[in-house]
Amino acid sequence: MFPNSILGRPPFTPNHQQHNNFFTLSPSLYSHQQLIDAQFNFQNTDLSRAVSLQQLTYGNVSPVQTSTSPLFRGRKRLNDEKNLPLDGKRQRFHSPHQEPTIVNHLVPLSGERRYSMPPLFHTHYVPDIVRGVPPFREIPFLEPREITLPEAKDKLSQQILELFEACQQQVSDLKKKELCRTELQREIQLIFPQSRLFLVGSSLNGFGTRSSDGDLCLVVKEEPVNQKTEARHILTLVHKHFCTRLSGYIERPQLIRAKVPIVKFRDKVSCVEFDLNVNNIVGIRNTFLLRTYAYLENRVRPLVLVIKKWASHHEINDASRGTLSSYSLVLMVLHYLQTLPEPILPSIQKIYPESFSPAIQLHLVHQAPCNVPPYLSKNESNLGDLLLGFLKYYATEFDWNSQMISVREAKAIPRPDGIEWRNKYICVEEPFDGTNTARAVHEKQKFDMIKDQFLKSWHRLKNKRDLNSILPLRTAVLKR
């Protein structure tokens, strides 16, 4: 008999199927607000430098449609919005000490609208910022799809499944993050009317936990932006807007001037920590690639979650401290499952190149997971054996010195000879742009610590066949 469940529930039985609902989500989840009406012209210190905006088109899509009745008039809520049912409202993002947004009363020319943009963008950035973002689309919230989790026929597999059930992100957690994204998008459009805000990363890729932070990507155009100049200037304005208008609802907004700058903040309503970047387009694409892998085979998500918890417990899951990012860890798990003698996962980029092409327009990226059916593997290994195999693979089999992990190719490939790959201890290929997602591991001491933990954990788990020997379950569940 198995010991009492770590969750206080009866243990799993071989014939008891566990189910988990998930939503096929899009960047616009529930529904997008319509674009802020084009009548808004924002005043700054130099009203003489107004920028003329043309109607945007995107491929064969018609120009951006603007509403005939604005969502806002100054700071007042429209009567229609006041009459919404109470359970459909969320407290609005307006600080009691906010600075009002001032409408620029320049008379628009016939057939076009005029905006005066923030001074930072007068000289270099205005033409790029205001073009190239596709029009907003109403994408329906799709019905939940039922996923049957694998059976737990042994103690170790049972522990992994129970940990997964206790810690996986709930639909209610995701709704809180999406509600915050919707409100923030509406606020940011007061500064950049054509922008879009995407929820990305673990919150949406299927590998989130109850404690996962929210990652947001602000898209101002579909071309790359200079992260040292453009992105920092954009985030400076967003940070100021958060501090002045939203201080009652956003806590501790910080502008982090890193290689990829971000604004960090905490939403007081949902109590979720967020990181907001600008135009990290590849992050949107890989979110939906990983989401496809997450639901391709029912052993993938429980295995990824326990490995992330294990790595975090042993302090090898923090890129800011020179160890592995969660993204790199997920790619390492997928790679392992692709390289088994009887693979559990294929390369979906090879099988469905048209669905995961880097050239796909952003407003279509969310459709990719819907086009890929579940993968039927002949490999019947249980979760416990797969966890042991993962630890053994990276402890004794993978050649760190000469090989690179490639989920795109579904195999280990020779390291490239480029400068980015030289003197790097761990090489994990980003599936879309080919960069090294594990470049943060740049000290030999940290690399040795990571390898040592793989080896020690493999030996312990092989001898004990008890997850507590490498990851205290009670502590892991409490942290969620």
Side-chain angles (χ1 to χ4, degrees), residues 122-374:
H122 279 160
T123 307
H124 300 103
Y125 302 111
V126 168
D128 287 337
I129 295 301
V130 299
R131 71 164 185 243
V133 181
F136 285 85
R137 301 241 175 139
E138 294 292 337
I139 300 174
F141 185 72
L142 302 178
E143 288 299 314
R145 186 171 129 205
E146 201 171 65
I147 295 295
T148 302
L149 295 178
E151 295 176 352
K153 295 182 178 180
D154 63 290
K155 174 183 175 179
L156 182 55
S157 297
Q158 176 192 336
Q159 290 174 320
I160 294 170
L161 275 180
E162 289 185 349
L163 180 67
F164 173 72
E165 288 223 307
C167 298
Q168 67 169 321
Q169 178 178 259
Q170 302 296 309
V171 173
S172 58
D173 302 324
L174 182 57
K175 284 183 177 180
K176 290 176 185 177
K177 294 174 184 177
E178 169 57 20
L179 197 53
C180 183
R181 183 207 65 80
T182 302
E183 295 288 350
L184 286 177
Q185 177 174 266
R186 186 157 50 196
E187 284 290 337
I188 292 172
Q189 283 171 356
L190 296 174
I191 314 172
F192 305 110
Q194 310 292 338
S195 65
R196 297 171 68 179
L197 193 62
F198 290 82
L199 188 62
V200 296
S202 62
S203 297
L204 208 55
N205 67 19
F207 299 117
T209 65
R210 301 220 66 181
S211 59
S212 292
D213 292 346
D215 294 303
L216 296 167
C217 177
L218 175 63
V219 178
V220 293
K221 60 177 180 176
E222 290 219 18
E223 298 81 26
V225 302
N226 186 310
Q227 293 292 324
K228 288 185 179 179
T229 54
E230 269 184 296
R232 286 189 185 183
H233 285 314
I234 293 166
L235 288 178
T236 298
L237 295 177
V238 171
H239 178 255
K240 181 180 179 182
H241 190 74
F242 285 3
C243 291
T244 55
R245 285 181 60 91
L246 310 182
S247 59
Y249 305 95
I250 284 182
E251 273 186 328
R252 306 189 299 270
Q254 292 177 281
L255 177 58
I256 310 295
R257 293 176 173 84
K259 183 177 180 181
V260 176
I262 59 172
V263 170
K264 294 181 73 74
F265 62 94
R266 180 177 181 270
D267 173 31
K268 291 182 182 179
V269 178
S270 65
C271 299
V272 174
E273 301 276 348
F274 284 91
D275 291 347
L276 188 154
N277 68 67
V278 172
N279 266 65
N280 182 24
I281 304 295
V282 72
I284 300 172
R285 299 189 187 283
N286 65 45
T287 292
F288 289 96
L289 175 69
L290 262 56
R291 184 171 183 80
T292 309
Y293 278 116
Y295 294 102
L296 203 59
E297 218 282 341
N298 65 359
R299 288 167 285 187
V300 177
R301 290 196 304 144
L303 188 62
V304 167
L305 186 142
V306 72
I307 288 167
K308 285 172 67 175
K309 289 288 185 181
W310 163 80
S312 180
H313 174 72
H314 292 285
E315 299 182 339
I316 59 171
N317 178 205
D318 189 346
S320 69
R321 296 178 181 271
T323 58
L324 294 163
S325 66
S326 291
Y327 182 39
S328 292
L329 275 169
V330 173
L331 292 176
M332 288 170 69
V333 178
L334 299 181
H335 166 76
Y336 162 69
L337 295 175
Q338 291 173 327
T339 55
L340 291 167
E342 190 63 62
I344 287 178
L345 292 176
S347 165
I348 56 177
Q349 285 172 289
K350 281 188 169 183
I351 299 175
Y352 304 96
E354 69 289 341
S355 294
F356 298 95
S357 165
I360 288 182
Q361 298 167 343
L362 276 186
H363 69 281
L364 300 176
V365 169
H366 73 279
Q367 296 177 1
C370 308
N371 300 329
V372 180

Side-chain angles (χ1 to χ4, degrees), residues 52-65:
S52 176
L53 295 185
Q54 303 297 327
Q55 282 189 313
L56 296 180
T57 58
Y58 194 79
N60 297 322
V61 180
S62 59
V64 175
Q65 300 298 314

